[in-house]
Amino acid sequence: MLQALEWILFGAVSVGAVAAGISRHRPARIGPWLMLAASVACLAVGDVFYAFAKYTASDVCYLTMFVFVVLALLQFTRGGAALLSRARLIDLLACASSALLVVWVFGVGPNEQFATISASDVIGGLLLVVVAARLAAATWLNWSAVLLCTGAIAMLMSDIAYPLAPGPLAETGYMVLYLSWGAAALHPSMARLTDPASARPVPWDGRWAALLGLSVATPPLVLLTEAVSGTVTDGVAIAVTGLLTLVLTITRLADSVTQNSQSLTRERALREAGEALVAAADEAAVGTAVRAAVTQLLPPGTIHRIDFATDDRQLTVKPPPASAGTGQRSWWAPADPAVALSDVSDIPGVASDGPGPQDATLVCPLRLEPLAVARPNGGALILAGRHDILTAGRDVLEVLAGQAALALDRIALVEAVGRRDSDLYLRAVIRNTADLMLVIDEDQVIRYASPALKELLGTDGLPPFATLPDLVHPDDSSHVRRALRDEGDGILHCALRRPDDTQILVEATYRDLRKDRLVQGFVVTLRDVTKAHDPLERIPHVEHVDELPAWVNRRSAQHKFRY
């Protein structure tokens, strides 16, 4: 009775520790830890039945414990940071289980000294040790994985020692198992065992396929050999090994089918997105094509936010840290609950219930280094959703962002060529006219100036990247810069400065065509009012003196205080 209470206490403490660890550290996937807790509970129940001499019930509980352990390890090795690909591990486990069966049936089993040792317990314990050791090696200095491996080794030692020398000392391994697995769930590193990571596809290799097929065929061959010899003495071990190899083989095939299906889906979605992006004529069409591709590439209901910004100034997230490098293709943005989400209620397959506790924000820049000349403003594709889904699809999302960047660069180049042709046409039409005309970009750099302006200023040409505020008098530059920064059309009165420090009074009429696809800037027409016949024409009509331009006040002061 006391021994049964002891196992109940150990089991309750271990299961409670796993539940507390899940609640405290909140891993990305709680399924593996719940199955691990279920396996510990089955082990504790089996130990209680064994203490009351209910050996059949205890064997059933022990086998159920191994089933939960296998499921937990399969979950630990699926899409986690520990094992990016579990294909080779599954092949090795199937081969190891079949090899252990052969060694046990034809080597250890006939030896009467080890007749009391359970073959299924030893085989299951050895496989558990192999997988736990692989997890510990893949996650270097992860104490949770080390504690899981320690518990597996302790259980294997007790499975071998207890049938040979029953006693409290031989049961120490089971106690270590309870305590170490509970401590593994309580350690903060337990969350890293289920952190999502992009899976790496394993190339096809015929030798590994042959090894897997031989492993599956070994248990039936061993059973056939014992049946032909006359007596089947290891039926339980053969059945457990056959079931284990079958589960591993089905898992291996399911992984291959899933990866192939995902590859086909992504290839089709990227192909359709590429066709839509090639046909896109403006930024709005590119954004629509990108959003449609995201809904096809990622599972429905896993994305809460899709932002497609074509300019870095439109970004609602912070840039990547300097230590990450400027050539990084994507980065994780910190969660900011104050940032408003985009309206995604009208996008099919996008959840509109807001972010959850396990969500993250992925930023894929729309910049192809070093091909960032046509569209230097950058931009980014911002996705907020489940961390594991975004991690699994990070590579394909980076490819989609690259295709969108190419489409935007193509549109920018086409518009640049159109503006160049428009400027050439304008230059050819007004080359011999006296009209003063300027085309100014959004950053106030003069893109085109009529030849009459050069004659008016008395210069051979304008300096590179010259702006209109650079040509006017310093007293008028802030007024001109402020007017060209606002939206809408208007009229300016300012004084142009010539190289000989003389001034030319002009009236500038500007049109705001920044939203025009072919212009994307201001069109300014200048009129020289210095030599006007009517003196009143030189002064604009305003109601308040404070609204007069600087050149009017300056010349009025010079006229009043001249000697």
Side-chain angles (χ1 to χ4, degrees):
M1 185 67 180
L2 292 177
Q3 189 177 13
L5 292 176
E6 178 184 354
W7 295 124
I8 292 175
L9 178 61
F10 274 105
V13 170
S14 183
V15 173
V18 174
I22 294 175
S23 176
R24 180 177 180 181
H25 303 299
R26 296 185 179 276
R29 288 184 288 111
I30 64 175
W33 293 104
L34 292 178
M35 293 180 185
L36 194 67
S39 66
V40 173
C42 291
L43 179 61
V45 173
D47 290 339
V48 172
F49 280 124
Y50 192 87
F52 287 108
K54 304 292 184 179
Y55 301 117
T56 303
S58 64
D59 290 339
V60 173
C61 292
Y62 292 151
L63 291 178
T64 306
M65 183 268 296
F66 275 112
V67 172
F68 280 114
V69 169
V70 170
L71 293 177
L73 294 177
L74 290 177
Q75 289 291 322
F76 274 125
T77 58
R78 180 183 65 85
L83 296 177
L84 297 180
S85 176
R86 62 181 181 182
R88 295 292 176 259
L89 177 62
I90 291 177
D91 297 341
L92 290 175
L93 285 177
C95 179
S97 61
S98 298
L100 289 174
L101 176 65
V102 173
V103 171
W104 181 268
V105 171
F106 299 105
V108 180
N111 193 341
E112 296 182 357
Q113 183 179 359
F114 302 101
T116 57
I117 300 178
S118 174
S120 57
D121 292 344
V122 173
I123 293 176
L126 283 173
L127 296 180
L128 179 59
V129 169
V130 171
V131 178
R134 179 68 181 90
L135 282 174
T139 57
W140 186 249
L141 296 181
N142 188 303
W143 285 106
S144 292
V146 173
L147 290 172
L148 290 177
C149 183
T150 302
I153 295 175
M155 184 181 68
L156 177 62
M157 295 176 61
S158 292
D159 286 339
I160 297 175
Y162 189 81
L164 298 177
L169 184 62
E171 295 176 348
T172 306
Y174 299 120
M175 301 178 185
V176 173
L177 170 69
Y178 286 118
L179 297 178
S180 61
W181 282 12
L186 289 176
H187 197 273
S189 61
M190 60 90 72
R192 295 204 304 269
L193 289 179
T194 56
D195 282 345
S198 300
R200 297 177 182 175
V202 178
W204 169 261
D205 193 340
R207 294 173 295 181
W208 288 97
L211 181 64
L212 182 61
L214 181 62
S215 302
V216 176
T218 298
L221 291 177
V222 173
L223 179 62
L224 179 63
T225 302
E226 286 197 347
V228 171
S229 64
T231 305
V232 179
T233 58
D234 301 288
V236 176
I238 295 174
V240 172
T241 306
L243 177 63
L244 183 60
T245 55
L246 181 61
V247 170
L248 291 174
T249 303
I250 293 176
T251 304
R252 181 75 165 84
L253 294 177
D255 289 348
S256 300
V257 172
T258 302
Q259 291 179 1
N260 183 61
S261 177
Q262 291 176 352
S263 299
L264 292 177
T265 302
R266 293 177 178 178
E267 180 183 357
R268 181 173 61 254
L270 287 177
R271 184 173 63 252
E272 294 177 356
E275 294 175 356
L277 291 173
V278 168
D282 51 17
E283 295 181 357
V286 174
T288 302
V290 169
R291 289 182 174 86
V294 170
T295 58
Q296 295 181 8
L297 291 172
L298 302 180
T302 59
I303 301 300
H304 306 285
R305 170 188 173 195
I306 300 177
D307 282 348
F308 186 74
T310 58
D311 196 322
D312 288 340
R313 291 170 293 183
Q314 302 175 359
L315 296 180
T316 57
V317 296
K318 298 180 180 180
S323 59
T326 56
Q328 194 175 14
R329 297 179 60 188
S330 63
W331 69 86
W332 297 103
D336 188 2
V339 176
L341 300 181
S342 298
D343 185 10
V344 295
S345 58
D346 57 342
I347 303 177
V350 179
S352 57
D353 54 350
Q358 300 298 332
D359 287 351
T361 302
L362 180 65
V363 182
C364 300
L366 303 177
R367 187 183 299 273
L368 297 177
E369 299 291 347
L371 304 177
V373 179
R375 195 179 46 84
N377 293 333
L381 171 63
I382 305 174
L383 301 169
R386 285 175 47 185
H387 190 197
D388 55 341
I389 298 299
L390 290 177
T391 303
R394 184 173 183 176
D395 294 339
V396 69
L397 291 174
E398 291 175 351
V399 173
L400 178 62
Q403 291 182 348
L406 285 176
L408 292 174
D409 287 346
R410 172 184 56 81
I411 294 173
L413 287 174
V414 170
E415 292 179 351
V417 171
R419 290 193 300 270
R420 184 199 62 182
D421 294 342
S422 177
D423 294 343
L424 292 176
Y425 174 78
L426 182 62
R427 182 180 293 108
V429 170
I430 66 173
R431 177 179 297 274
N432 298 323
T433 65
D435 295 337
L436 302 176
M437 183 174 296
L438 299 175
V439 179
I440 301 176
D441 287 333
E442 187 175 0
D443 54 359
Q444 300 189 8
V445 175
I446 298 176
R447 190 171 74 219
Y448 168 76
S450 60
L453 178 64
K454 303 174 185 178
E455 297 177 0
L456 180 64
L457 295 177
T459 59
D460 296 334
L462 299 179
F465 305 104
T467 63
L468 183 57
D470 296 337
L471 303 180
V472 302
H473 195 274
D475 295 340
D476 299 331
S477 59
S478 60
H479 176 58
V480 173
R481 188 178 294 108
R482 184 169 56 253
L484 295 181
R485 192 181 299 118
D486 299 335
E487 295 184 358
D489 304 340
I491 300 176
L492 287 173
H493 295 87
C494 57
L496 299 180
R497 186 174 54 180
R498 304 184 66 179
D500 56 359
D501 290 336
T502 59
Q503 300 179 21
I504 303 172
L505 309 181
V506 296
E507 180 184 76
T509 303
Y510 60 91
R511 295 182 59 195
D512 186 2
L513 298 178
R514 285 178 292 183
K515 296 183 180 180
D516 189 278
R517 187 175 60 87
L518 295 178
V519 180
Q520 295 187 1
F522 293 90
V523 176
V524 182
T525 303
L526 302 178
R527 186 167 67 95
D528 184 5
V529 298
T530 305
K531 300 180 180 180
H533 297 288
D534 188 0
L536 296 178
E537 190 179 9
R538 296 171 53 182
I539 302 178
H541 296 281
V542 293
E543 296 180 358
H544 302 284
V545 179
D546 295 338
E547 298 179 2
L548 291 176
W551 62 269
V552 175
N553 296 328
R554 183 173 61 252
R555 289 187 172 272
S556 177
Q558 291 176 357
H559 177 75
K560 290 180 179 179
F561 298 101
R562 60 183 177 179
Y563 296 97

